[in-house]
Amino acid sequence: MEVALSAIASDLINRLTSFLMKKYMESTSIDDKMKRLKELLLRVHIVVEEADRRCITNPMMLMQLKMLAESMYRGYYMLDTIKYKSPKDEEVRKLCTMSVSLKRSRTIFDTPGSPADDNELEIVLNNLEAAISNINEFVVLLVGCERVCRRPYDAYLYTDNFMFGRHAEKQQIINILLQNPCQQDGPLVLPIIGGCRVGKKTLVSHVCGDERIRSYFRSILYINGDNMWGMEHTKFKRERTLIVGEFFTDIDEDDWVKFYCTVSQMTDRWSKVIIISRIGKLARFGTVKTVCLNSLSQEEYSYLFKMLAFGSIDEKDHPKMAMVANDLAVVLGGSLITANVVADLLRRNHDFQLWNSVLQRFKEMVKSNLSKYGEHPKDIIEKEHPIDITRFGSSYHTRLHLMPPRVERDDSPNRKKPSLLFRDLIAGCATIPDGDFELVTWESRIPPHTKYVQSAVAFVNGKNGCTTSTRKRRSNA
């Protein structure tokens, strides 16, 4: 009997020891993997940053650079996910599961150190190691690429002129525009197609501001779908011209032929045409391969948002605020405009209570729209429909509806409607006007001082109906 009990006790001790050793090894393994991840990210970041300063003309190198950058952002995302994740806060996770627009957050809200974390970390490490294993040839070829001279404001993340990422796409477009004309009868046509507010015009603006493009073309002409038909009345010098056209609707074949013939006759054969649009069918008019722009991945978006929000301070010194920033990057749903607005507000005041208050307001706003309309506010705005922002007001009895943003210039005619800054509304320090008013969402401090403005309306208990027009804002294609 004693022998049997001794055997049972010995077996239990062995099992307990094995269990504790397994847990210890798992803990050590996670720590080792995190250390390895940091080392790999440092190596990849050095290469990506250097490539950002080079003029890369090889399309295969641009493709590899894009893959390197994607692996890097995913690595940083994984690093922050494990480092700053809170097992107590389930609200963000629930928002993610309710909204189809936040598919990428499948594992990031599990308990820290869970098998899902370990598996995801293993995948990220494998991807980074595979990317680095093929990096030597890329670095050798990179050394032979000419350095790009940048003006001072291009080097900083926190000015209005900053464009995050898109280096591969920008260089691809520049390479196409600098091509010598082939045997075709008219100018080269490059379609740039992408979704709502993914940065198509921003990308083209930076391309047109590049010194190589400005020295190659004698003039740059901007048109839109409303005035392209008057091209035959425009007086051109027969010189090398870049025509940038923004199209909001599909174009009839005969109309395009008429437009293209006019451009061909009135400009130099070295001229080029850029088509900017959300409409994929317009790619049929291109004479070269279409450049497609997608929204930033959740990893890229999170990296950008935190860089903008923390500014010059180190997020490692503020782990609570870093956790809030991680959650906000998920809740915002990938909106670039909102990211800039919210980050600008947070960067002005590094106070945890304010940051957490902004997070709670956005979570409540997203919940409200998901409950009422079944969609994330970003998706609703992209359909040019108003969203409910009542949660940003001081009283839930006053309903607030907000229209999609439109672009205005500083010299636009003054409007009679009252206006306030969106960041003041988000911070809870704005007095809401009655009826219709304007929200200045974002305003550039660089000429020509463009700004995003959104029409809004306040009404009490549904008595004052929303009078704001629901027409589509074509200027934001």
Side-chain angles (χ1 to χ4, degrees), residues 45-56 65 142 145-150 154-156 167 171 212:
H45 202 144
I46 291 171
V47 176
V48 171
E49 195 169 283
E50 182 60 30
D52 240 6
R53 300 189 178 102
R54 300 278 179 167
C55 175
I56 303 174
L65 171 60
L142 191 64
C145 295
E146 182 184 355
R147 278 187 172 272
V148 177
C149 295
R150 291 184 174 183
D154 287 328
Y156 295 93
H167 178 80
Q171 191 59 56
R212 291 166 290 173

Side-chain angles (χ1 to χ4, degrees), residues 177-392:
L177 294 180
L178 295 181
Q179 287 180 8
N180 291 330
C182 54
Q183 300 302 317
Q184 63 189 35
D185 296 330
L188 176 149
V189 179
L190 169 63
I192 299 178
I193 308 297
C196 179
R197 303 181 186 93
V198 297
K200 301 182 293 297
K201 289 188 292 185
T202 300
L203 174 58
V204 172
S205 175
H206 279 260
V207 167
C208 293
D210 190 279
E211 292 299 329
R212 291 166 290 173
I213 295 298
R214 298 192 75 85
S215 60
Y216 185 85
F217 294 99
R218 295 293 299 274
S219 61
I220 300 176
L221 176 65
Y222 297 90
I223 65 172
N224 59 48
D226 291 332
N227 65 22
M228 66 172 287
W229 317 125
M231 286 285 292
E232 64 270 19
H233 304 299
T234 303
K235 292 183 179 181
F236 286 96
K237 293 180 181 178
R238 196 166 181 79
E239 60 187 14
R240 193 178 301 175
T241 304
L242 175 60
I243 299 172
V244 180
E246 186 178 2
F247 297 90
F248 310 104
T249 58
D250 197 8
I251 307 171
D252 182 78
E253 298 285 343
D254 293 337
D255 289 335
W256 174 260
V257 171
K258 180 181 177 182
F259 166 75
Y260 189 70
C261 288
T262 300
V263 172
S264 302
Q265 294 168 5
M266 293 186 172
T267 62
D268 187 273
R269 65 186 294 264
W270 295 64
S271 298
K272 308 286 194 307
V273 177
I274 293 178
I275 294 175
I276 303 175
S277 185
R278 303 180 195 175
I279 303 168
K281 290 193 294 184
L282 291 179
R284 70 187 186 276
F285 297 124
T287 61
V288 292
K289 186 177 179 181
T290 301
V291 174
C292 297
L293 286 189
N294 298 315
S295 299
L296 295 179
S297 68
Q298 181 62 44
E299 292 88 351
E300 290 177 293
Y301 184 79
S302 178
Y303 185 93
L304 168 63
F305 178 73
K306 289 199 297 179
M307 292 293 284
L308 292 173
F310 281 98
S312 60
I313 71 169
D314 192 340
E315 66 174 83
K316 296 176 184 176
D317 298 331
H318 304 274
K320 288 186 178 180
M321 290 196 298
M323 191 181 298
V324 169
N326 278 348
D327 288 350
L328 263 170
V330 174
V331 172
L332 296 182
S335 170
L336 292 175
I337 297 175
T338 311
N340 276 282
V341 175
V342 176
D344 181 63
L345 169 65
L346 302 183
R347 191 168 64 250
R348 292 167 183 266
N349 192 335
H350 292 127
D351 175 66
F352 172 74
Q353 298 301 326
L354 172 66
W355 286 42
N356 192 53
S357 172
V358 171
L359 171 62
Q360 300 308 319
R361 282 171 172 263
F362 267 98
K363 285 199 293 189
E364 290 297 320
M365 188 270 287
V366 171
K367 278 183 183 179
S368 175
N369 283 273
L370 285 170
S371 176
K372 289 182 178 180
Y373 309 118
E375 292 184 286
H376 191 280
K378 177 178 179 289
D379 299 327
I380 299 172
I381 285 287
E382 287 183 357
K383 295 177 180 178
E384 306 293 341
H385 295 157
I387 61 172
D388 188 334
I389 59 167
T390 302
R391 302 296 178 175
F392 289 147

